Amino acid sequence: MHFALIDGKPTEAESGLKGLCPGCYQPVIAKCGTQRIHHWAHLKSKSCDSWWEPETEWHRSWKNNFPSIWQEIFLPDLRTGEKHIADVKTSNGLVIEFQHSHIDPHERTTREDFYQNMVWVVDGTRLKKDYPRLQKGITCFRSIRSGIFRVGDPEECFPSAWLGSSVPVIFDFRGIESISDPKDLRNNLYCLFPMRIGRDAIVVVLSREAFIDAVINGKWTQWANNHMNNICQVSKEWQEQMNRNQRQQDALNFARFTKEVRYKKGRRF
């Protein structure tokens, strides 16, 4: 946990400090060792959020791109009575969840259902195979227009655990590194949309700065919705064309079949 309440004010962890959890108001203590980033921890071993996971430097660096008042927002689940901590929730209601560790598909779906207006940012540096897979798979990206691509085999490019997500998933393959080469693929973010055109996935390649600015300026949700609406329309048109092609092929096959039947009947006499 990045912030705790001391005298009612959100405060970062410093050695020797004690405070209260902003969600459950139970005592927390500052953990300021050398193995992990400084953070607050409940005196009891169990966090008040069942979705909570230890925070990495990657988590913290991403969250710090946004105002502190947007970070670690406690939201009640009226169905279960639990409280969940959104990594970032903007003033426009967009939730951003930064995910480093493996996540169970059921929990991923549960979070998406709970937050609804959200986007995942996934640490693509966790597994060594993830970036080489992107390097190999990106050669099959087919450009629709600048920065937008159709990907025929998304499982050849991205971790399969995220392919079933119902919300946009952004992959960050740079992590906390600083890479000077502007052409390095890791300097981009790769946004996988939940819609498909046939079997093809849709991926938008964008810069970190563009994503962060869109979120801060309140434009991300509209930007993402516009893309998803366009994808749905293209997918509908693609399916209609496929249906027309199939009807034409069926008619052609039927014509060939009836011609063969007439020919065989004619040869009997």
Side-chain angles (χ1 to χ4, degrees), residues 13-59:
E14 294 182 15
S15 183
L17 292 182
K18 296 181 181 180
L20 296 178
C21 170
C24 64
Y25 299 103
Q26 294 301 307
V28 291
I29 57 173
K31 296 283 189 176
C32 301
T34 59
Q35 299 301 312
R36 290 178 52 195
I37 59 173
H38 294 185
H39 65 285
W40 293 96
H42 287 74
L43 285 176
K44 297 180 180 179
S45 59
K46 186 177 181 181
S47 170
C48 58
D49 180 6
S50 61
W51 295 342
W52 180 87
E53 63 180 36
E55 197 167 65
T56 65
E57 186 178 349
W58 175 82
H59 278 95

Side-chain angles (χ1 to χ4, degrees), residues 102-219:
H102 169 75
I103 186 170
D104 177 80
H106 175 71
E107 180 177 323
R108 188 205 71 221
T109 300
T110 301
R111 289 202 211 181
E112 292 170 0
D113 290 342
F114 177 68
Y115 291 127
Q116 296 190 8
N117 180 23
M118 72 168 295
V119 57
W120 292 100
V121 177
V122 175
D123 186 358
T125 69
R126 185 177 71 88
L127 298 178
K128 292 183 178 180
K129 65 181 180 181
D130 284 350
Y131 178 59
R133 175 173 50 202
L134 174 73
Q135 285 181 298
K136 183 179 179 181
I138 203 169
T139 59
C140 299
F141 279 28
R142 290 176 291 158
S143 178
I144 298 176
R145 59 177 183 267
S146 180
I148 306 175
F149 302 87
R150 287 178 68 158
V151 182
D153 296 301
E155 65 276 3
E156 299 295 326
C157 304
F158 303 108
S160 59
W162 294 99
L163 299 182
S165 178
S166 62
V167 300
V169 180
I170 292 177
F171 296 93
D172 170 18
F173 293 98
R174 193 180 78 186
I176 58 174
E177 286 189 67
S178 178
I179 300 175
S180 58
D181 182 2
K183 296 183 179 179
D184 193 299
L185 298 176
R186 291 170 292 181
N187 280 322
N188 295 318
L189 300 176
Y190 299 83
C191 181
L192 176 67
F193 280 90
M195 290 78 176
R196 297 288 186 269
I197 300 177
R199 291 186 64 255
D200 292 358
I202 303 299
V203 175
V204 175
V205 180
L206 70 162
S207 69
R208 294 164 185 266
E209 294 75 18
F211 171 64
I212 293 167
D213 288 347
V215 171
I216 291 176
N217 294 330
K219 298 179 179 179

